[in-house]
Amino acid sequence: MARITDQNKIERLKHSTMKLVVEHGFGGASAALIAKDAKVASGYFYLHYKGKYEMVNAILQEVYQEVFEKFDQLLSEASSFIDTLNKMVHHFVRIANTEPIKVKFLYVLTSDYSFVIDPQIREDTFKFISRLKDFGRSSGSLDEAITDDDLYLILFINTIQFINQRYKNNPKRESISEEDIEHMLYLLNKFIR
Amino acid sequence: MARITDQNKIERLKHSTMKLVVEHGFGGASAALIAKDAKVASGYFYLHYKGKYEMVNAILQEVYQEVFEKFDQLLSEASSFIDTLNKMVHHFVRIANTEPIKVKFLYVLTSDYSFVIDPQIREDTFKFISRLKDFGRSSGSLDEAITDDDLYLILFINTIQFINQRYKNNPKRESISEEDIEHMLYLLNKFIR
DNA sequence: TTAAAATGAATGAACATTCATTTATTAATA
DNA sequence: TATTAATAAATGAATGTTCATTCATTTTAA
């Protein structure tokens, strides 16, 4: 046998990728800059990924998975629809406060025509949204007029946009407060009625 | 005297810039590709702008101006707050249906950390938002808990996101229907209460 | 010892930007 | 009216840089 892949190196690579995609956009984040930032050889990531596009999509998949795994869990052990939404938003904000780069990364990539999100990710997301909608409907807590797309937009996109608006308004201290969460939930509750 | 600047050439350049920023993101839209797409010499836009960043910001300013000039007008001759919002959304959709590239361009650039929107544009936008909020408040049509940031997010960002979600779901026929508008307004009305 | 991990120099393509040259237009002149 | 001079618009070849990607070589740990 021989050496084992240095996982720390992979982690550095992932973090630098997110950082540079946020700072320069998907198209502006070059392999050279990412490698330099991660303190890794310039050709390093080709050993693990076919190219920049695949790497970014793999990282995105992990971030999505992290988010939706918890969401799935919250939904399966849910008491009420409203309570589930509350917990989802709290979870999202927790990620935002511990690893803001992840939420910025989602923000940048979800509003990009040049970057096509893996169809599997999209499918999983909308499967979840559909389950959530059914739960809301069956418990009479969700306005019948609200579609899957609406729910995705309001719950997922809006939350990402809200958090990033806070980041942009307040580049110094990036933490999202409990008051902010309350406010987000207040707005969210109006929507679902 | 000599030649006059060919305005058609400038228009082609602007259109190609929007198109390529949408297709490849701000960082991925190269000067070479833009010039080629516009059928203009590679060094052409340096005669009119200092560089890509300035050019994109100038075009963005024009798009914003077009939107907010109409919004200003609607607000100054407004009958009711709700009616004004309706007309604003209709105007936005009209732009989306005649020149979808403009709304896609806004979509791409408003969710980008690499591209810093001119402070003047931001200031003008929030001046307008503030006026609109005052109108809503004074006529008792706007929830007191809604801040300027909320209104910006809900009215402006949400509308852009909604329209682009339609584009992405339906890449063939890109038109936003009257039903879509009704639905958007339905959701909007819930927000402002 | 050995085999996989990791490196980084090397490649050619694409990049942003410059500017000497060419082209088109108008006003002055014949 | 036809010709020419003047001048600004527009071009695109040329520059040096950075890009994505490859792979022969070196490093490291089992």
Side-chain angles (χ1 to χ4, degrees), chain A residues 22-23 107 110-111 113-114 122 143 145 149-150 152 158 161 164-165 168-169 183 186 190-191 193, chain B residues 22-23 107 110-111 113-114 122 143 145 149-150 152 158 161 164-165 169 183 186 190-191 193:
Chain A
V22 168
E23 283 176 6
Y107 171 73
T110 51
S111 297
Y113 273 97
S114 72
R122 218 191 116 79
D143 180 351
D149 279 348
D150 293 338
Y152 174 74
N158 246 13
Q161 292 283 336
N164 279 279
Q165 194 177 54
K168 286 185 174 178
N169 285 348
H183 192 64
Y186 174 74
K190 288 182 156 202
F191 248 134
R193 185 168 35 186
Chain B
V22 168
E23 283 175 7
Y107 172 72
T110 50
S111 298
Y113 273 98
S114 71
R122 218 190 117 79
D143 180 352
D149 279 349
D150 293 339
Y152 174 75
N158 247 12
Q161 293 282 337
N164 279 279
Q165 194 179 55
N169 285 348
H183 193 64
Y186 173 75
K190 288 182 156 202
F191 248 134
R193 187 170 38 184

Side-chain angles (χ1 to χ4, degrees), chain A residues 98-113:
Chain A
T98 53
E99 296 170 292
I101 194 72
K102 288 187 179 172
V103 182
K104 290 181 181 180
F105 185 65
L106 287 175
Y107 171 73
V108 166
L109 291 182
T110 51
S111 297
D112 193 323
Y113 273 97

Side-chain angles (χ1 to χ4, degrees), chain B residues 162 166 175-185:
Chain B
F162 185 94
R166 280 284 179 286
S175 186
I176 312 296
S177 69
E178 194 60 40
E179 278 170 40
D180 287 331
I181 300 178
E182 285 309 312
H183 193 64
M184 285 168 71
L185 288 170

